[in-house]
Amino acid sequence: MMLEQKKSLYSTWLVLTLCFVIMLAVINAVLFNVALADISEELSIGPSQVSWIVVGYSMMVAIGSITYGKLADRFRVKSLLIFALVLFLAGSLIGFGFSSFAAVIIGRIIQASGGSAFISLSMISVARFLQPEKRPGALAMFSATIALAAGIGPLVGGAVTHTLGWRYLFLLMVIAIVAIALLIKFMPKEEQQQSPASLPFDFAGAALLFGVIVAVLFAVNLNGLFFLLALAFAFGFKWWLPRTSAPFVERDLFANQAYLRLIGIGFLMNVGAMANMFLAPLYLIHVHKLSPFVVGLLLFLGGISGVLSSFASGKLLPRVGGGKIIFAATVMMMTGFLAMGVIPRPDIIVVTILLLLTMMSYSAIQVSLNNLVPRTLLPSKIGVGLGFYNLLNFVGMAFGPAAASRLFEKTGNYSLIFLGMAVVICLHFLLVAKPAAVQQQSH
C-alpha cells in the first residue's frame, strides 16, 4: 500500500513538473509581444524586423516540435527534455548578455530550439509513464496550463519591461534550471529506446518540409521571390514522399479529408489569433498610448477569459459537438476583427471587449479541434497525425505575425490588417468538418 502511495505521489509531481515545463514554453512564446515597441525603438528597427523576435521563435518551434517527437522513438525522453532545457537556458543567457539585434534573434532561436520540445515531449511522457486512467486528467491539466500561461505571459512581460527593461525578459527564463532539477528528481528511469541505427530517419523529407516553412516565412517578411523557392521545396517534398520507405510525414495523412480540413482550420485560426497577439499590443501602445504593463494586464484578462472559455467549451462538447462550437466561435472571432477594422478609433473599453471576444473564440476553437482531430485518425496514426497538426499550428503562429508586420510596414493602417484577419477567419466556414463525417472517419 505504501509503495502504491509513493508511486501515486511521484506521478503527481511528474505531472506538475511537466506543467511547469509547458508553462515555460508558452510564457516565453508570448512574453516579448508587449515589449516589441520598446525593442523597436531602442534598437532602431522597423516592424517587420522586430517581428522576427516572434516569427523566428515560432518557426523554430514548428520545426522542432515534430523533430523531437521523432527523436523520442530513438532516445530517452528524460535525456531529450534535459538537453532541450539546457539549450533553452543557453539562448536565454545569450539574449540577455548581448545588446545587438542579431544577438536577440540568435538568443530567441536557440531558446526555441529547446522550447520546441517542451509540449510534445511532455505529452509523450504522459503516454509513457502514467497509468491509462491517469492520462486524461494529466492532459486536461496541460490544456489549462497552456491557456493560463498565454494570459500570464503578456502580464509578466509588461511588468518586467516597464520596471527593468526588455532584456530582463531573457534573464527571467533562467528559471528553467528549476525544471531540470525537478525532472532529475521526479521523472522515472526509462529503458533505452531502440538504437538510432535501427529506426530510419527521413532526413531528406525533413529538410524539404522545413525548407518550405522557412522559404514561405522569408517570402512574407523579406522578399516575395522566396515563394519560388518554397514552391521548389514543396514539389521536391511531393516527389520524395512516395520514394522513401519511412517518410517524415505519413503518406496516409494526405488522403484523410476530414483530418486535412480540421488541421486547415487550426492553421487559419493560429494565423489570425497570433497576428492579433502581435498587432494588438502595438495598437494599444501607439494608438491608445498605454504602457506595456497596462497592455500586459489587458492581455492577461484575455488569457483568463480564454481559460474560462476552454472549460465552458469542454462541458458543451458532448452535447452540441465540436463542429457547432467551431462555427459559433468563428462567427465571434470574425465579428471581433471586423469591429476593430470598421469602428474608427474605438474606445479602450470597446477594444478590451473585442480583445476578450477574440481570445475566448480562439480557446473554444482550440478545445474543439483537440477533441475532433484524434477522432479522424486511426489509433496507429494518432502520434504522427497529432505531430503534423501541431507543426501546422506553429507554422500558423509564425505566419500570422510575419504577415501582419509586413502589411503594417507597407500600409501603416491597423484597420486594414484587422479586416484582413477577419477574411482569414472567414475561410473557416469553407473547412468546418461535419460531425457526422468526423465520426465516420474515426471508425
Side-chain angles (χ1 to χ4, degrees):
M1 189 66 178
M2 290 294 294
L3 182 61
E4 289 298 319
Q5 288 177 341
K6 187 175 180 180
K7 284 184 178 179
S8 178
L9 181 62
Y10 265 75
S11 295
T12 301
W13 274 105
L14 174 61
V15 172
L16 292 174
T17 298
L18 295 174
C19 284
F20 178 58
V21 170
I22 289 172
M23 181 168 283
L24 286 176
V26 178
I27 287 178
N28 192 57
V30 299
L31 193 63
F32 284 78
N33 286 14
V34 297
L36 294 179
D38 285 34
I39 297 172
S40 178
E41 182 179 352
E42 184 174 329
L43 300 181
S44 301
I45 53 178
S48 65
Q49 287 176 290
V50 78
S51 72
W52 277 100
I53 294 172
V54 177
V55 172
Y57 189 90
S58 298
M59 181 177 70
M60 283 302 300
V61 168
I63 293 170
S65 60
I66 192 169
T67 304
Y68 276 108
K70 291 276 186 179
L71 291 175
D73 291 332
R74 299 156 171 258
F75 303 101
R76 294 184 178 96
V77 174
K78 183 176 183 177
S79 301
L80 288 173
L81 265 175
I82 292 174
F83 172 75
L85 282 161
V86 170
L87 279 178
F88 188 77
L89 280 167
S92 302
L93 292 173
I94 289 171
F96 177 72
F98 299 91
S99 58
S100 69
F101 178 62
V104 171
I105 295 298
I106 291 170
R108 285 290 279 170
I109 288 175
I110 295 175
Q111 273 188 332
S113 65
S116 58
F118 295 172
I119 295 177
S120 59
L121 292 186
S122 292
M123 290 184 172
I124 290 171
S125 298
V126 166
R128 197 164 285 180
F129 299 124
L130 295 189
Q131 296 296 322
E133 65 273 11
K134 293 186 177 181
R135 292 171 192 168
L139 294 174
M141 286 185 67
F142 288 176
S143 296
T145 299
I146 290 170
L148 183 60
I152 291 174
L155 179 63
V156 173
V160 171
T161 302
H162 183 70
T163 56
L164 299 174
W166 60 266
R167 282 188 178 83
Y168 284 85
L169 298 177
F170 281 108
L171 189 62
L172 180 66
M173 289 296 102
V174 174
I175 196 174
I177 198 167
V178 176
I180 295 177
L182 291 172
L183 285 172
I184 292 172
K185 174 71 174 176
F186 295 113
M187 183 166 275
K189 290 183 179 180
E190 182 182 2
E191 293 295 326
Q192 173 66 52
Q193 298 303 303
Q194 298 184 53
S195 167
S198 68
L199 292 171
F201 190 90
D202 183 13
F203 289 101
L208 289 167
L209 181 59
F210 299 158
V212 174
I213 295 169
V214 174
V216 167
L217 292 173
F218 279 4
V220 172
N221 235 32
L222 297 177
N223 192 311
L225 292 176
F226 277 101
F227 275 122
L228 298 177
L229 184 61
L231 281 174
F233 279 125
F235 279 119
F237 181 74
K238 183 178 179 182
W239 175 85
W240 174 254
L241 201 60
R243 289 169 172 78
T244 178
S245 58
F248 189 71
V249 179
E250 295 283 345
R251 290 182 288 266
D252 294 349
L253 295 178
F254 296 102
N256 187 335
Q257 292 299 313
Y259 171 77
L260 292 178
R261 290 168 70 177
L262 289 172
I263 67 172
I265 292 172
F267 172 76
L268 293 173
M269 172 193 66
N270 280 291
V271 168
M274 294 304 113
N276 185 43
M277 288 293 289
F278 169 79
L279 201 64
L282 297 177
Y283 174 80
L284 292 168
I285 289 170
H286 290 152
V287 177
H288 290 277
K289 309 302 180 185
L290 301 181
S291 70
F293 175 73
V294 175
V295 172
L297 183 60
L298 291 179
L299 294 178
F300 173 71
L301 292 175
I304 295 299
S305 71
V307 174
L308 297 176
S309 176
S310 297
F311 287 130
S313 300
K315 288 183 178 292
L316 284 173
L317 268 172
R319 295 201 295 271
V320 303
K324 291 180 180 178
I325 290 177
I326 292 173
F327 187 91
T330 297
V331 172
M332 288 172 59
M333 186 180 285
M334 190 174 63
T335 301
F337 289 147
L338 277 173
M340 288 292 293
V342 171
I343 300 174
R345 194 181 171 87
D347 182 85
I348 188 62
I349 295 176
V350 174
V351 173
T352 302
I353 292 171
L354 295 176
L355 184 64
L356 296 180
L357 190 68
T358 55
M359 295 184 78
M360 289 173 67
S361 304
Y362 174 75
S363 295
I365 295 171
Q366 190 176 50
V367 168
S368 300
L369 289 176
N370 289 344
N371 177 265
L372 289 174
V373 169
R375 292 168 55 195
T376 66
L377 299 165
L378 296 172
S380 60
K381 305 293 182 184
I382 283 179
V384 67
L386 291 178
F388 190 63
Y389 164 60
N390 284 322
L391 180 143
L392 207 59
N393 282 344
F394 287 124
V395 172
M397 291 178 185
F399 187 87
S405 65
R406 190 68 166 173
L407 284 172
F408 183 74
E409 195 169 67
K410 293 289 186 183
T411 66
N413 190 323
Y414 287 105
S415 297
L416 185 64
I417 303 173
F418 281 119
L419 289 174
M421 288 152 60
V423 171
V424 169
I425 298 302
C426 183
L427 297 176
H428 282 200
F429 294 122
L430 303 177
L431 294 172
V432 174
K434 297 178 181 178
V438 173
Q439 185 65 31
Q440 186 179 3
Q441 285 288 335
S442 68
H443 291 305

